[in-house]
């Protein structure tokens, strides 16, 4: 596990200096006063570690005279709620947006169509950003130093500078190196994935799921439990018509022209039909798969590390 995900939550400041002294928060109580997060009793081991790391960063920064509001990590369960985990919510989403491929063009002002999924609460992250923005240039430089913001060498796997990011990691994970933690995570993911793919009940339900898809004329490229629940969506994304993604550029570097709403409408209708067929075919499988998956999550095949 790397500390890179922490950086986006830390309100990283730019390096500059124009005089002034770093203050002990400067009275910026709106940033949350370095309060500690309550760790959910049912949190998985990896999720608990993320909570403890955020709390350790906040406590460390407080000692350095700065305010850092710990950002609650996203529970993997939440990211799947309307993407197959909760049948009713997923049905409601897909009946309007399908897999979300063409909906962003048909509904350009709809946040759910643009992001695909349920909005997340980022109040603490926003508080950190506002706090850092309120500091003077010299204070921002001191903030980065106290945080121990890594340079490119550290991001590439080298030594992290001394600071709260490094000390928080050590407090939670001990002296185990990032490489060792990564290796342990990879091994755990592999073992969990093998267990899920070898589960007799899930294997049987995946076969039924596949048969149902074939009955609708939908190609089946895998029947592995860790892959099949997202197989149809991934295939739809890979085969999407040109012009659905404004960030895609032509070979000459010019932006690719986005399709019009009139062009997207019939494609959205088909996307909704495909998404609903997939949802219904996989309903029984997902009801059995997700409870087991969250007890022993795996990355790859739509998993979480």
């Amino acid at each position: 596990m790397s500390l890179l995900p922490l950086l986006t939550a830390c309100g990283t400041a730019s390096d500059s200096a124009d005089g002034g002294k770093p203050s002990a928060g400067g009275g910026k109580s709106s940033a949350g006063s370095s309060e500690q997060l309550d760790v959910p009793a049912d949190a998985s081991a990896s999720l608990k570690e993320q909570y403890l790391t955020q709390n350790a960063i906040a406590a460390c920064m407080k000692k350095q005279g700065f305010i850092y509001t710990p950002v609650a990590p996203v529970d993997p369960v939440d990211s799947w709620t309307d993407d197959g985990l909760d049948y009713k919510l997923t049905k409601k989403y897909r009946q309007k947006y399908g897999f979300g491929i063409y909906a962003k063009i048909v509904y350009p002002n709809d946040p759910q169509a643009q992001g695909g999924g349920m909005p997340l609460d980022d109040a603490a992250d926003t508080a950190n950003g506002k706090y850092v923005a309120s500091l003077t240039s010299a204070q921002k430089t001191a903030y980065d130093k106290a945080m121990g913001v890594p340079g490119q060498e550290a991001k590439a796997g080298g030594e992290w500078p001394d600071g709260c990011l490094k000390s928080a990691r050590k407090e939670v994970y001990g002296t185990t190196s990032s490489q060792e933690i990564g290796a342990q995570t990879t091994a755990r993911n592999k073992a969990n994935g093998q267990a899920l793919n070898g589960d007799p009940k899930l294997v049987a339900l995946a076969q039924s799921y596949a048969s149902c898809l074939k009955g609708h004329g939908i190609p089946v490229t895998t029947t592995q439990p860790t892959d099949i629940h997202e197989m149809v969506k991934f295939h739809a994304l890979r085969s999407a018509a040109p012009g659905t993604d404004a960030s895609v550029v032509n070979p000459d570097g010019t932006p690719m022209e986005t399709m019009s709403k009139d062009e997207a409408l019939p494609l959205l209708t088909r996307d909704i039909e495909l998404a609903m067929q997939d949802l219904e075919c996989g309903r029984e499988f997902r009801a059995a798969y997700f409870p087991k998956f969250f007890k022993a999550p795996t990355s790859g095949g739509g998993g979480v590390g």
Side-chain angles (χ1 to χ4, degrees), residues 89-208:
L89 288 178
T90 304
K91 182 177 182 179
K92 182 179 180 180
Y93 179 85
R94 292 191 179 187
Q95 283 177 327
K96 182 175 181 179
Y97 306 111
F99 287 126
I101 302 171
Y102 306 99
K104 56 190 174 185
I105 300 172
V106 177
Y107 306 108
N109 299 315
D110 187 331
Q112 275 201 299
Q114 298 306 310
M118 303 179 74
L120 300 175
D121 180 9
D122 60 353
D125 200 359
T126 300
N128 285 316
K130 289 182 177 179
Y131 171 70
V132 172
S134 73
L135 301 176
T136 67
S137 294
Q139 289 171 341
K140 290 177 183 177
T141 300
Y143 179 97
D144 279 358
K145 183 177 181 180
M147 185 68 74
V149 176
Q152 291 302 319
E153 183 178 335
K155 292 179 181 179
E159 184 68 20
W160 283 59
D162 292 335
C164 290
L165 289 175
K166 185 176 181 178
S167 65
R169 177 200 171 284
K170 185 176 181 180
E171 181 177 327
V172 176
Y173 297 98
T175 58
T176 306
S177 69
S178 297
Q179 290 78 7
E180 290 174 315
I181 294 174
Q184 292 170 4
T185 300
T186 298
R188 183 174 65 243
N189 286 339
K190 183 177 180 180
N192 289 347
Q194 289 175 338
L196 290 168
N197 288 329
D199 186 293
K201 181 178 180 180
L202 293 182
V203 170
L205 288 173
Q207 292 291 341
S208 298

Side-chain angles (χ1 to χ4, degrees), residues 80 83-85 87 90 94 99 196-197 200-236 273-290 301-302:
W80 288 99
D83 198 14
L85 175 60
Y87 171 79
T90 304
R94 292 191 179 187
F99 287 126
L196 290 168
N197 288 329
K201 181 178 180 180
L202 293 182
V203 170
L205 288 173
Q207 292 291 341
S208 298
Y209 184 0
S211 296
C212 179
L213 292 174
K214 291 176 182 177
H216 287 287
I218 301 173
V220 174
T221 57
T222 179
T223 57
Q224 284 199 144
T226 55
D227 295 312
I228 193 170
H229 65 106
E230 287 203 304
M231 179 197 67
V232 178
K233 181 174 73 173
F234 283 160
H235 178 73
E273 179 184 0
L274 184 64
M276 291 303 297
Q277 289 170 340
D278 172 63
L279 178 65
E280 296 302 331
C281 283
R283 181 176 182 178
E284 189 175 356
F285 168 81
R286 291 188 177 95
Y289 175 77
F290 277 116

